[in-house]
């Protein structure tokens, strides 16, 4: 137990009343699948209205072969007999051709095996329990930021583990708990490596850009350089926030002691398995590098000889490469720890990881139908062209436009926690709109990802917020939502400000966001 000093409970000020409203409104929102189904009917009705209104727009990126002039876009009535028949016949195709579906499921074959075999949990345990005390906070923030590479495992594993590690070195466990959660949640769109989240968001961005420019080619690595820079900046800021703001509020206050038996030290067998898993990962990297070396290297573009062109096999094959980089270490770890004894065990783990994707598959079905309807109505093109013209007329361009979009995405994230659900709706509107203003889809995607990350820790309707609350109550049975939000607020505000400044710097100096991901785009 700590001493008798208690930390202050937050009063219901203006900010807390606002957050309470957010919580009540957010809890009343339907499930994302239901939202997409509602949007089906909204699009059907609006398509009728728009088609009858006679609204048209000149497409700046497509030529009408009959006239030789820029194509004139008009609304399509989806309630007509022909369009309803077409939609009925394409329902299955709309689902199976939904770009993010295959990308995410293939990636999960590797990431799921690494997670279910226990590799990722052990890696996190061995990382945060073996560092010097003075580097402990920075390590927890850093590992939390990297944890999005294993999907949602970081939210479940790292915060309680960080609490126990802090407890083990004589510090308040809630400081470790909240620091771990902030790293995972607020730093959700930073990383040193391309992972499933990059695959997921690019799966929406690329088709959205192709609404305006059918020749557009993008890759999951389009934000990679920006993500690498973000990782180190947010780690430093997260450490500063934890030690200068969070720790003074809790250190020296009472908490419930739950014992040290839960620290779950890494066993000798797990240490051995990690070493062999690391060796397996290293072998994969060596093979990958070997395939990139030489004038006629397998991973180079056949025409340009570049590794980083969007059409290069290294970029087009990024999804299976990521899958293999997870699969081989996960398989090796499972074999060494005896969790995998034969091929049936491998298949069983893969079945289990895919079973966890059931909710995403249902969401993909609903989102796929929505996107098909939205694009078929031509409203995506009309809205993008008209929106771009309006933004030009009012003069809202440049960094100010992207900052406004970050804030907008952050606000929406308070109500709709699913990254894919939001981007499935927003990408077909904002990616083409900003592309028509001359901005690369990679820039629009990165701005969205910043907004989608910074308010994660604040949102009471975020999937893992109740999980964090349950963890916190182990150390303080009176822990409430207000205390957690007040603890997370500095991370959201400072991370958001730093990210926006970094994005503006990239824009001003025209620094590429990643391979094939620039700032400006010319059709």
């Amino acid at each position: 137990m700590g001493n008798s000093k208690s930390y202050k409970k937050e009063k219901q000020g203006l900010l807390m009343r606002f957050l309470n409203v957010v919580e009540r409104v957010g809890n009343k929102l339907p499930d994302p699948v239901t939202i997409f189904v509602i949007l089906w009917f909204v699009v059907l009705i609006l398509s009728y209205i728009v088609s009858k209104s006679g609204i048209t727009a000149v497409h700046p990126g497509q030529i009408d072969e009959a006239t030789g002039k820029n194509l004139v876009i008009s609304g399509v009535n989806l309630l007509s007999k022909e369009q309803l028949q077409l939609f009925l016949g394409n329902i299955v195709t709309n689902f199976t051709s939904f770009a993010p579906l295959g990308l995410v499921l293939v990636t999960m074959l590797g990431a799921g095996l690494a997670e279910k075999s226990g590799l990722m949990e052990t890696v996190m345990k061995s990382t945060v329990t073996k560092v010097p005390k003075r580097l402990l906070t920075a390590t927890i923030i850093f590992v939390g930021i990297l944890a999005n590479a294993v999907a949602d495992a970081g939210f479940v594993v790292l915060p309680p583990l960080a609490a126990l590690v802090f407890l083990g070195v004589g510090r308040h466990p809630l400081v470790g708990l909240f620091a771990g959660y902030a790293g995972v949640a607020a730093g959700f769109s930073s990383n040193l490596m391309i992972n499933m989240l990059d695959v997921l968001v690019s799966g929406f961005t690329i088709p959205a850009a192709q609404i305006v420019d059918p020749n557009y080619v993008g890759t999951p690595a389009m934000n990679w350089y920006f993500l690498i820079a973000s990782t180190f900046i947010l780690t430093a800021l997260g450490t500063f926030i934890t030690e200068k703001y969070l720790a003074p509020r809790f250190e020296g206050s009472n908490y419930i002691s739950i014992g040290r038996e839960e620290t779950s030290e890494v066993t000798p067998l797990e240490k051995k398995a990690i070493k062999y898993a690391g060796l397996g990962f290293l072998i994969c990297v060596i093979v990958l590098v070997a395939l990139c070396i030489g004038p006629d290297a397998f991973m180079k573009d056949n025409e340009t000889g570049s590794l980083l062109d969007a059409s290069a096999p290294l970029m087009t094959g990024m999804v299976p490469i990521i899958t293999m980089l997870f699969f081989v270490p996960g398989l090796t770890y499972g074999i060494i720890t005896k969790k995998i004894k034969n091929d049936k065990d491998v298949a069983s783990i893969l079945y289990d990881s895919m079973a966890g994707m059931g909710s995403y598959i249902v969401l993909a079905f609903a989102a796929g139908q929505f996107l098909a309807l939205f694009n078929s109505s031509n409203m995506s093109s009309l809205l993008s062209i008209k929106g771009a013209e309006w933004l030009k007329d009012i003069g809202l361009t440049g960094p100010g436009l992207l900052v406004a979009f970050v804030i907008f995405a952050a606000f929406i994230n308070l109500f709709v926690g699913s990254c894919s659900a939001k981007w499935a709706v927003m990408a077909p509107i904002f990616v083409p709109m900003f592309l028509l203003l001359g901005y690369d889809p990679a820039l629009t995607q990165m701005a969205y990802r910043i907004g989608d990350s910074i308010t994660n820790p604040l949102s009471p309707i975020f999937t893992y917020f109740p999980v964090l609350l349950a963890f916190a109550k182990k150390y303080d049975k009176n822990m409430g939502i207000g205390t957690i939000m007040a603890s997370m607020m500095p991370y959201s505000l400072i991370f958001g400000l730093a990210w926006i400044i970094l994005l503006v710097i990239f824009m001003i100096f025209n620094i590429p966001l990643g391979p094939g991901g620039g700032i400006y785009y010319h059709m």
Side-chain angles (χ1 to χ4, degrees), residues 356-380:
M357 298 300 293
S359 59
Y360 176 77
I361 293 174
V362 175
L363 176 65
F365 175 81
Q369 307 309 320
F370 162 73
L371 290 177
L373 289 170
F374 193 52
N375 292 335
S376 297
S377 69
N378 277 346
M379 284 194 294
S380 56

Side-chain angles (χ1 to χ4, degrees), residues 18 138 177 202 226 295 320 343 523:
F18 168 73
L177 181 78
S202 65
F226 188 91
D343 64 301
M523 289 189 295

Side-chain angles (χ1 to χ4, degrees), residues 122 126 129-130 265-278 333 336-337:
T122 304
S126 62
T129 57
K130 301 301 180 183
E265 292 290 335
V266 178
T267 66
L269 180 61
E270 289 174 333
K271 292 179 181 179
K272 176 182 178 182
I274 287 179
K275 291 180 180 178
Y276 279 95
Y333 180 89
I336 299 298
T337 58

Side-chain angles (χ1 to χ4, degrees), residues 409-423:
F411 177 74
I412 295 297
N413 190 50
L414 288 171
F415 299 91
V416 183
S418 172
C419 172
S420 57
K422 291 193 301 293
W423 196 225

Side-chain angles (χ1 to χ4, degrees), residues 461-472:
I461 63 170
F462 186 62
T463 305
Y464 292 98
F465 193 97
V467 178
L468 177 68
L469 181 59
F471 288 144

Side-chain angles (χ1 to χ4, degrees), residues 193-210:
M193 53 188 169
I194 308 301
N195 58 75
M196 192 176 71
L197 183 61
D198 299 278
V199 175
L200 178 65
V201 293
S202 65
F204 292 103
T205 303
I206 294 170
Q210 291 170 345

